[in-house]
Amino acid sequence: MTKLSELTEREILALAIASEEEDGHIYADFGQMLAEDYPDSAAIFQDMAEEENHHRRALIDLFVRRFGNHIPLVRRQDVQGFPSRKSAWQMQNRGIEAIRAQAADMERQAARFYRQAAGQTQDAEIRKLLGDLATEEDRHQREAKRLEDAHLNDTTRDREDEHSRRDFVLRIVQPGLVGLMDGSVSTLAPVFAAAFATHSPHAAFLVGLAASLGAGISMGLAEGLADDGKLSGRGAPLLRGLICGAMTFGGGIGHTLPFLVPDFHLAFGVALVAVAIELLLISWIRWRYQDTPFGSAMVQVFLGGALVFATGVLIGSS
């Protein structure tokens, strides 16, 4: 991979043109992607895309004056150490704040790279060019802040943040919570039934492992196949299915792992502590993201867990 110090002034200018073009395209994609749900932030990114296009045109004019009409293809991924960019489609499910942070990082990374590169080269012309590019990227950051202040007042930002929070709850928290509740509660009965029926930690572990894996696969498929997310706005079914399945398995395996301890009574005690932690976590998530009073959430979750636990103990002891 080529180092920046090995590029000629002509190639460095071509690299700057390609970088500005890519950044402008990403900002335009952000604007289109956010237009429906976040129109004010979309307007900011559309303005930033136009700024990048203006800078690209200015760089092209400079290149033509100095080197002619043919601009060589020099891409950021071909140059060692040059900061990479995430495309808009990679940020689709990350939320509005993550996208804003990505845009700020794009400007900061470019300015930092140009400034570091300027300090490494001994060529006066290249040093001046890189320094000018760093100054230009710094100006982009200030311009982005100005555009944000122009388009987003406190009310607008609060509205967009609330929309982003609801989106996060629908796409991430809700399938994760459903899986965690199912894994933590539904596997209690088979695990503790096996434990009391056999008094064998190994047998209880095998039953718990099978129940956790089976429930994880079942819940993941159910979540992924139940809704394609297009009408409900709940996001990609594959992502929701993976989240739900993983959390279901996690909820079940949490109180299964203690039965790896050979001593039955010790394993049983640690498993009870694990169950309590799982139920407290479920209660906290419901309080934090679903506006359920914490006391009420605890009563509901612990009552359900106690009923399932008692069912497993009664069946295992019979």
Side-chain angles (χ1 to χ4, degrees), residues 165 168 173 177 180 276-295 297-298 301-302:
R165 179 182 180 278
F168 175 72
V173 174
L177 180 60
L180 182 60
I277 293 173
E278 292 164 4
L279 298 182
L280 280 171
L281 179 60
I282 292 171
S283 301
W284 181 85
I285 293 174
R286 295 190 65 202
W287 166 76
R288 175 67 176 79
Y289 291 103
Q290 296 188 334
D291 299 325
T292 304
F294 188 71
M298 282 189 61
V301 172
F302 273 83

Side-chain angles (χ1 to χ4, degrees), residues 21 23 35 49 59 61 75 90 149 167 172 192 204-205 222 232 234 239 293 312:
E21 185 174 44
D23 287 355
L59 287 166
D61 289 342
R75 303 168 300 179
Q90 295 176 288
D149 291 340
D167 209 40
I172 306 297
F192 286 98
F205 173 77
S232 64
R234 297 181 64 214
L239 177 63

Side-chain angles (χ1 to χ4, degrees), residues 43-81:
I44 293 174
F45 287 115
Q46 289 161 0
D47 287 348
M48 291 175 68
E50 184 55 38
E51 279 288 314
E52 297 296 314
N53 287 333
H54 174 74
H55 300 149
R56 177 182 57 84
R57 289 193 295 267
L59 287 166
I60 290 176
D61 289 342
L62 175 60
F63 186 96
V64 170
R65 287 198 305 271
R66 295 195 60 180
F67 303 110
N69 291 323
H70 177 71
I71 302 174
L73 179 60
V74 184
R75 303 168 300 179
R76 65 175 79 240
Q77 59 263 38
D78 299 327
V79 179
Q80 183 176 337

